[in-house]
Amino acid sequence: MWTSGRPITLLLVCLLGSATSSPVSICTAAPPLLSQISPPSPAPTILPSLPSPSLSLVSTSGASAGKGSCQLTVSPSTLVVRYEDPVTANCSVEGMDYIGLGWEVSLAKPDFTMGHFVVWTVDRMTNWSLTASCYALSPDGGPCHINLPVIVYKPPDNVSISLVNHDRPMLENHRYTLQCAVEGVAPVENLTVTFYGGQTALGQLQSNCNRSKEPVTEIFTLNFTPSKDDDGAEFWCEAELDLGPEGPQPPPVVKSQHITATVLFGPQLGCPTKLRVREGEILSCEVRGNPQPLVTWFRDGQVVALPTSSSRKHAGTYMVMAKGPLEHKNFTVEVEVLGGGGTANSCNGHFLLAVSIIQMINWL
């Protein structure tokens, strides 16, 4: 495993279809970005100490806080910003006597104002754990303020899929583990990973590494048991960062590369055990497998070649011996050869008679 740091093993369970998930989630810190080195902060503005947050009411158009005559509104109600993107948030006050309005933030703090609104702007967001609060000062009631939730996100740098400790063809009905590595994503608590086999979703897993706001690398695993239908199918995983209604829509999705599965299976009999053919037809019965099994036909203990033109003498019991790389199997096939009075020929005769009657009616 290429991740570094102290791994934290988490257990997630998700079952879809025939796959059973036993995910192991390992969170490690992503390599630091050069852009994370911020310039020295300007000298702090001396502000009055603020009391505990007052009651917050969240709405789709903004957030409001009120206690007595304190009426503050911030927009947006939750700030969702991509790392290194610009930021703009507005705070306004109505219906109260106040001395001034301002923002208490740890990055690019705007000036204190005597107006009814103040805008906080940042040219480039470079702080992963930013706190922001708008406050107003009143001459009689002291300060009031409202917190603005800030979510700084970054889609994964890379998403990759692999089979754990396996680089050979898979065997049918054996258990294997798919691994999806998501590198450099934040915040990881909003991450959802989905495994796909063909066009089927095998399992959907969510992260429990929700303590870090900075980019991390997380590994998800999913156990599954392939069948012969998975031979040649493509497997991949995708990571979705769902940041809620205030986040980008649709949510950012990063997909892994596709890997093509090779599944060894068989031998399997591909025809009915009671086989009917018409006289003159080829006697054949498919035996399936990957790779293609070596097939030998026996009748009365003797090796026989299947006829290209069947007759009544070819009816009887045959034993099919099929050899594959996984196992050898024997099948018994009862062959019935239908002659002129057989079901198939009788149906054809009835059809021709019906056609003749229709033609006679048209002539009349």
Side-chain angles (χ1 to χ4, degrees):
M1 188 174 301
W2 63 89
T3 56
S4 61
R6 185 173 57 187
I8 303 174
T9 304
L10 305 175
L11 179 64
L12 304 169
V13 177
C14 181
L15 299 175
L16 282 177
S18 62
T20 59
S21 65
S22 178
V24 176
S25 172
I26 301 176
C27 296
T28 59
L33 304 176
L34 293 177
S35 57
Q36 289 181 237
I37 304 175
S38 304
S41 301
T45 302
I46 300 176
L47 297 171
S49 60
L50 299 179
S52 301
S54 53
L55 175 65
S56 295
L57 302 175
V58 177
S59 65
T60 56
S61 60
S64 301
K67 186 176 183 181
S69 60
C70 179
Q71 297 293 333
L72 290 174
T73 300
V74 294
S75 179
S77 58
T78 299
L79 179 62
V80 180
V81 56
R82 183 166 179 158
Y83 187 75
E84 296 188 330
D85 275 3
V87 171
T88 300
N90 180 54
C91 178
S92 60
V93 61
E94 293 182 6
M96 65 172 284
D97 294 329
Y98 68 99
I99 299 175
L101 189 65
W103 280 95
E104 179 67 28
V105 292
S106 54
L107 184 67
K109 182 183 305 180
D111 293 333
F112 189 73
T113 180
M114 300 297 294
H116 285 272
F117 67 91
V118 60
V119 179
W120 169 47
T121 60
V122 177
D123 293 334
R124 192 162 144 266
M125 175 60 73
T126 58
N127 191 316
W128 294 105
S129 302
L130 186 73
T131 58
S133 178
C134 178
Y135 66 92
L137 300 179
S138 63
D140 53 353
C144 70
H145 74 280
I146 179 172
N147 294 327
L148 173 62
V150 179
I151 300 175
V152 182
Y153 74 93
K154 187 177 79 66
D157 294 325
N158 185 55
V159 177
S160 60
I161 191 172
S162 60
L163 277 169
V164 177
N165 299 326
H166 192 83
D167 57 0
R168 301 179 302 278
M170 295 180 285
L171 304 180
E172 185 183 28
N173 298 327
H174 284 62
R175 189 178 182 182
Y176 298 91
T177 300
L178 286 170
Q179 175 176 283
C180 185
V182 183
E183 303 175 33
V185 61
V188 70
E189 63 180 314
N190 295 87
L191 181 67
T192 300
V193 169
T194 305
F195 288 84
Y196 289 92
Q199 298 301 316
T200 303
L202 302 178
Q204 190 174 75
L205 312 175
Q206 290 183 318
S207 172
N208 272 354
C209 300
N210 54 8
R211 297 181 180 179
S212 175
K213 299 300 181 183
E214 298 187 10
V216 298
T217 293
E218 186 165 2
I219 296 175
F220 299 84
T221 60
L222 181 79
N223 294 327
F224 80 109
T225 303
S227 68
K228 67 178 185 300
D229 297 329
D230 294 316
D231 184 44
E234 292 188 331
F235 289 79
W236 77 95
C237 63
E238 63 182 35
E240 179 182 271
L241 202 58
D242 190 350
L243 301 160
E246 295 85 1
Q249 301 297 328
V253 174
V254 179
K255 298 182 180 181
S256 72
Q257 84 283 13
H258 290 211
I259 57 175
T260 302
T262 300
V263 181
L264 304 182
F265 66 93
Q268 295 178 343
L269 189 65
C271 67
T273 56
K274 292 186 177 181
L275 181 62
R276 290 184 175 183
V277 296
R278 296 187 182 93
E279 285 185 318
E281 291 182 340
I282 298 175
L283 178 57
S284 64
C285 183
E286 182 184 8
V287 178
R288 302 168 184 166
N290 182 30
Q292 184 63 36
L294 177 63
V295 179
T296 306
W297 285 73
F298 294 86
R299 185 179 183 186
D300 298 330
Q302 302 295 320
V303 177
V304 295
L306 296 182
T308 57
S309 179
S310 301
S311 64
R312 298 250 180 198
K313 67 178 181 179
H314 296 121
T317 302
Y318 290 79
M319 195 269 285
V320 184
M321 178 182 293
K323 295 182 179 180
L326 306 181
E327 58 181 331
H328 298 176
K329 286 186 177 180
N330 295 332
F331 307 99
T332 300
V333 178
E334 295 286 342
V335 176
E336 180 181 358
V337 180
L338 304 178
T343 302
N345 289 343
S346 176
C347 291
N348 289 337
H350 292 161
F351 175 77
L352 293 175
L353 178 60
V355 172
S356 300
I357 294 175
I358 293 172
Q359 289 178 345
M360 292 176 63
I361 294 174
N362 292 333
W363 292 339
L364 295 178

